[in-house]
């Protein structure tokens, strides 16, 4: 297998996304007993990350 910089860059983006997701202890360790609560935490984390990337608008 050869080194492909384009593939590696895409892989790096995914890995950094998972690292940010795992910053929340409940997501990293799966303390929640109900799947719906776990999914809500994942969605909330995704919304917060998305809002950080939005430009400030008046």
């Amino acid at each position: 297998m050869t080194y492909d910089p384009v593939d590696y860059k895409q892989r790096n983006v995914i890995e950094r996304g998972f690292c940010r997701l795992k910053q929340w202890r409940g997501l990293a360790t799966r303390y929640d007993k109900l799947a719906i609560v776990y999914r809500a935490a994942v969605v909330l984390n995704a919304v917060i990350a998305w809002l950080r990337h939005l430009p400030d608008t008046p």
Side-chain angles (χ1 to χ4, degrees), residues 6-40:
V6 175
D7 285 344
Y8 186 77
K9 185 175 181 179
Q10 292 171 350
R11 178 177 176 239
N12 187 14
V13 170
I14 299 299
E15 286 182 1
R16 284 185 287 135
F18 276 110
C19 286
R20 279 192 303 271
L21 189 65
K22 288 182 176 183
Q23 291 296 319
W24 286 24
R25 184 178 299 253
L27 294 177
T29 56
R30 187 79 195 252
Y31 283 137
D32 301 317
K33 294 186 189 301
L34 299 176
I36 194 164
V37 175
Y38 183 77
R39 184 171 190 263

Side-chain angles (χ1 to χ4, degrees), residues 13 16-24 27 40-56:
V13 170
R16 284 185 287 135
F18 276 110
C19 286
R20 279 192 303 271
L21 189 65
K22 288 182 176 183
Q23 291 296 319
W24 286 24
L27 294 177
V42 170
V43 169
L44 181 61
N45 191 328
V47 168
I48 290 171
W50 178 62
L51 287 174
R52 286 184 182 160
H53 291 298
L54 286 179
D56 290 333

